[in-house]
């Protein structure tokens, strides 16, 4: 009997081995290598040298810019995406729900290099919107208003493109959890619209929407391809800094890249923790 | 009225860049042309790099889906107490941005005992990591929907061995989930740029790397290849919606961005 159980346990472990080996080699070890490498000194031993260099002004600035870009596009995406989700779930456009959701599913996967090209051909120097704007308003977006698609503002416009449909997809179930009967019940009990939103609407909607916004933040913070093809290094973002440090021959500096990568992982992990905590609270109302 | 305008503006914004790139590639001096698209037909480099991407996609889908289907089922049947750990592990790739995963992989696999940097093998393995979250979700949802234990025991009582039960009873029941995970994996590999750039670069050039390179010398042709990339994404997304009747858009995560 004992031998049978031991054999059973051994069998169970054998079935788990391929996955365990794979995940260890290609997910756990690479992350561990980065985290440990951040503390490694060039001559051997451990220390905080890489972090001291990562605290240089240009890298702090990169973190500030990355955080600002992610926060701004997450907020714009969250507000506009919620409005759209509400309109197609509860509001006037319920009959168009399937159409809009299908559209969002497709466009939320448009990203990276092709998306950057699409925006350059639209809002670039000779993009048709730029040309049409000049023809209609006699004001040049580039020469008079100082806009360029290759700038920080340009990145905000492009990042918002993949944030918006993602937010709609995340906000639809949240808005669906806000049941119509509640609004009717509140009205029957004498509550006005303001009272309903304060006591029922916002408390029910806030957790899933905050969680979704945290996910959008992480989504933008880790993005590389879109920024790479739009900014050609002109905009100071953490992923681009890491890319330069590991891809360049002259600038190769794994230790510094590891320290920046550790910082990035901490920021994203924090956002994911907010997402999970918010989701746990949200689940009470979801059915 | 306000709601209608918000949704209309939203749809307009999502269509705007597509109008730009379609106009750019389809119009030459005001005349409609397919020349920039036709250019790809005679381009041997395009054919070679597209083939690379298709090979990577096939490898990733087969490895990722079979590994995750088998492991999730195994945990479900024989080691339920490990389910939270499996769930956490399958969620991890979400927390690790592509550029940091590349950073770790380069340092580990640029030297013996496993000098894999620059090979298609490493890229398939890295892409497989990225498929874990949605492959796990798809299989787990499928297992929750069917009574896999009863099914499996019924098959066992009829004399079917373990592998036979897994392949002929469980897998067919999970097929819709497996299909959508495979399609997501396919779309991911066909569009992924960052890992390809850092892990292999020109040593095994992929279709996304090629379209970025073409753009610099021949923007019209590069843009036409980008439209083709949109079409691949669009077709995969529609196929996923069609097979799973769910909205899996969010599951692809940050991998493509």
């Amino acid at each position: 009997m004992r031998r049978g159980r031991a054999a059973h346990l051994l069998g169970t472990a054998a079935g788990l081995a391929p996955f365990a080996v794979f995940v260890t080699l290609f997910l756990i070890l690479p992350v561990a290598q980065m985290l440990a490498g951040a503390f490694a000194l060039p001559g051997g031993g451990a220390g905080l040298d890489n972090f001291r260099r990562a605290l240089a002004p240009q890298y702090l600035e990169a973190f500030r810019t990355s955080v600002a870009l992610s926060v701004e596009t997450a907020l714009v995406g969250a507000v506009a995406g919620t409005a759209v989700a509400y309109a197609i779930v509860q509001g006037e456009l319920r009959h168009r729900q399937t159409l809009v959701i299908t559209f969002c599913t497709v466009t939320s996967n448009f990203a990276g290099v092709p998306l950057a090209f699409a925006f350059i051909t639209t809002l670039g120097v000779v993009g048709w919107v730029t040309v049409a704007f000049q023809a209609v308003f006699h004001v040049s977006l580039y020469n008079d208003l100082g806009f360029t698609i290759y700038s920080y503002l340009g990145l905000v416009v492009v990042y918002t493109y993949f944030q918006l449909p993602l937010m709609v997809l995340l906000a639809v179930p949240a808005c669906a959890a806000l049941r119509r009967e509640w609004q009717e019940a509140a009205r029957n009990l004498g509550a006005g619209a303001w009272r309903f939103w304060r006591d029922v609407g916002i408390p029910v909607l806030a957790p899933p929407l905050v969680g979704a916004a945290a996910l959008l933040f992480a989504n933008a913070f880790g993005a590389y391809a879109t920024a790479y093809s739009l900014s050609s290094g002109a905009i100071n973002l953490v992923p681009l800094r890491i890319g330069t440090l590991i891809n360049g021959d002259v600038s190769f500096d794994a230790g510094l890249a590891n320290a920046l990568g550790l910082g990035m992982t901490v920021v994203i992990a924090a956002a994911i923790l907010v997402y999970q905590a918010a989701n746990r609270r949200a689940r009470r109302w979801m059915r | 009225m306000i709601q209608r305008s918000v949704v209309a503006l939203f749809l307009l914004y999502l269509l705007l860049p597509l109008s730009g790139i379609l106009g750019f590639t389809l119009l030459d001096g005001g005349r409609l042309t397919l020349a920039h698209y036709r250019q790809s037909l005679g381009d041997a480099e395009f054919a070679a790099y597209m083939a690379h991407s298709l090979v990577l996609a096939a490898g990733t889908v087969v490895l990722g889906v079979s590994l995750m289907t088998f492991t999730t089922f195994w945990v479900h049947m024989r080691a339920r107490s490990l389910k939270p750990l499996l769930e956490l592990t399958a969620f991890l790739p979400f927390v690790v941005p592509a550029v940091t995963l590349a950073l770790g992989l380069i340092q580990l696999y640029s030297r013996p005992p496993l000098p894999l940097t620059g090979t298609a093998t490493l890229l398939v393995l890295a892409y497989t990591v990225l498929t874990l979250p949605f492959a796990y979700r798809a299989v787990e949802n499928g297992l929750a929907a069917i009574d896999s234990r009863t099914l499996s025991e019924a098959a066992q009582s009829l004399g079917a061995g373990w592998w036979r039960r897994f392949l002929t009873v469980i897998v067919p029941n999970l097929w819709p989930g497996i299909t959508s995970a495979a399609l997501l994996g396919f779309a991911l590999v066909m569009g992924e740029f960052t890992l390809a750039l850092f892990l292999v670069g020109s040593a095994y050039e992929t279709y996304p790397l090629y379209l970025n390179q073409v753009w610099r010398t021949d923007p019209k042709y590069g843009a036409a290849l980008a439209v083709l990339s949109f079409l691949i994404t669009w077709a995969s997304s529609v196929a996923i919606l069609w097979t799973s009747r769910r909205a899996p858009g969010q599951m692809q995560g940050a991998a493509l961005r």
Side-chain angles (χ1 to χ4, degrees):
Chain A
M1 196 61 220
R2 274 185 84 117
R3 266 188 74 146
R5 255 188 75 186
H8 184 83
L9 266 178
L10 215 65
T12 305
L16 292 172
F19 181 77
V21 169
F22 173 78
V23 166
T24 306
L25 282 180
F26 299 103
L27 179 61
I28 311 286
L29 277 182
V31 174
Q33 163 72 42
M34 177 190 72
L35 299 180
F39 294 94
L41 295 177
L48 295 176
D49 188 52
N50 292 324
F51 292 98
R52 212 166 293 126
R53 290 188 299 141
L55 288 175
Q58 71 265 37
Y59 296 118
L60 287 179
E61 186 58 38
F63 269 97
R64 258 196 296 277
T65 315
S66 274
V67 168
L69 177 65
S70 312
V71 167
E72 284 165 25
T73 60
L75 282 181
V76 173
V79 171
T82 305
V84 172
Y86 188 82
I88 61 169
V89 172
Q90 304 274 356
E92 294 164 19
L93 286 157
R94 262 168 296 153
H95 57 293
R96 291 273 176 266
Q97 192 173 341
T98 318
L99 176 84
V100 176
I101 289 181
T102 307
F103 197 64
C104 288
T105 308
V106 175
T107 47
S108 69
N109 290 325
F110 285 169
V113 179
L115 184 67
F117 293 174
F119 268 99
I120 293 169
T121 56
T122 309
L123 276 165
V125 190
V126 292
W128 78 263
V129 171
T130 313
V131 174
F133 193 89
Q134 164 109 48
V136 174
F137 299 106
H138 304 290
V139 175
S140 163
L141 280 175
Y142 276 70
N143 296 332
D144 301 326
L145 299 178
F147 173 83
T148 115
I149 195 72
Y150 307 100
S151 65
Y152 176 80
L153 187 61
L155 274 190
V156 171
V157 171
V158 181
Y159 275 40
T160 304
Y161 189 93
F162 58 68
Q163 301 281 45
L164 263 176
L166 176 60
M167 184 64 198
V168 174
L169 293 174
L170 292 169
V172 159
C175 290
L178 197 65
R179 265 160 268 161
R180 313 204 113 227
E181 301 89 25
W182 295 349
Q183 211 151 354
E184 284 156 19
R187 203 179 305 134
N188 289 342
L189 292 168
W194 186 82
R195 186 81 198 277
F196 166 76
W197 281 108
R198 195 195 68 182
D199 289 346
V200 181
I202 292 174
V204 170
L205 281 182
L209 296 183
V210 167
L215 208 59
L216 296 195
F217 173 88
N219 191 29
F221 198 80
Y224 179 84
T226 316
Y228 170 87
S229 52
L230 262 184
S231 79
S232 46
I235 299 166
N236 193 1
L237 298 174
V238 185
L240 295 181
R241 284 284 183 186
I242 295 177
T244 313
L245 289 172
I246 52 177
N247 223 16
D249 290 329
V250 186
S251 56
F252 184 84
D253 187 340
L256 182 52
N258 286 330
L260 295 174
L262 186 146
M264 219 176 141
T265 309
V266 168
V267 173
I268 290 195
I272 297 291
L273 284 179
V274 170
Y275 164 71
Q276 292 206 310
N279 248 11
R280 259 196 302 279
R281 291 201 58 158
R283 224 164 280 149
R284 280 188 302 182
W285 306 111
M286 301 265 192
R287 285 209 303 206
Chain B
M1 199 55 219
I2 296 176
Q3 292 183 6
R4 277 169 194 280
S5 340
V6 167
V7 175
L9 264 177
F10 166 76
L11 294 178
L12 216 64
Y13 180 61
L14 292 188
L15 288 172
L16 191 72
L18 303 180
S19 76
I21 199 162
L22 282 176
F24 183 69
T25 51
L26 288 172
L27 295 174
D28 253 347
R31 293 168 59 106
L32 210 59
T33 172
L34 280 173
H36 305 296
Y37 291 88
R38 227 178 284 127
Q39 203 173 333
S40 64
L41 295 177
D43 181 355
E45 273 186 296
F46 169 74
Y49 302 147
M50 186 54 112
H52 284 175
S53 280
L54 289 170
V55 168
L56 293 171
T60 304
V61 165
V62 170
L63 182 62
V65 166
S66 51
L67 187 66
M68 214 61 233
T69 308
F70 175 80
T71 306
T72 310
F73 178 64
W74 191 262
V75 167
H76 196 79
M77 295 300 286
R78 294 187 60 160
R80 287 228 174 174
S81 55
L82 291 179
K83 200 180 138 187
L85 183 65
L86 180 65
E87 199 169 331
L88 179 74
T89 315
F91 186 76
L92 264 186
F94 263 164
V95 191
V96 185
V99 69
T100 51
L101 184 62
L103 173 61
L105 287 170
I106 286 178
Q107 293 174 75
L108 276 180
Y109 298 111
S110 294
R111 52 173 194 241
L114 287 172
L116 292 173
T117 306
T119 65
T121 311
L122 182 61
L123 205 48
V124 166
L125 293 165
Y127 284 162
T128 301
V129 168
L130 299 185
T131 64
L132 296 183
F134 55 79
Y136 172 73
R137 259 299 118 222
V139 177
E140 178 57 36
N141 288 348
L143 284 174
I146 62 172
D147 192 347
S148 53
R149 227 163 230 225
T150 311
L151 272 180
S152 182
E153 277 162 17
Q156 189 173 21
S157 71
L158 292 170
W162 198 92
W163 278 106
R164 184 141 173 228
R165 277 180 278 150
F166 177 66
L167 292 174
T168 63
V169 178
I170 300 301
V171 168
N173 273 292
L174 297 177
W175 208 241
I178 290 177
T179 317
S180 70
L183 286 164
L184 271 167
F186 172 78
L188 184 135
V189 176
M190 294 310 287
E192 209 284 332
F193 180 80
T194 311
L195 286 168
L197 178 70
F198 291 122
L199 296 181
V200 293
S202 56
Y204 193 81
E205 187 150 338
T206 63
Y207 163 55
L209 290 183
Y210 181 59
L211 76 88
N212 182 58
Q213 178 201 323
V214 168
W215 168 264
R216 285 153 207 262
T217 52
D218 187 352
K220 290 244 173 191
Y221 181 35
L225 293 181
V227 172
L228 182 62
S229 168
F230 282 136
L231 284 178
I232 295 173
T233 311
W234 172 79
S236 320
S237 309
V238 170
I240 291 160
L241 282 173
W242 190 54
T243 50
S244 64
R245 274 172 285 129
R246 289 167 52 98
Q250 64 264 43
M251 298 312 289
Q252 209 150 305
L256 291 177
R257 269 127 216 169

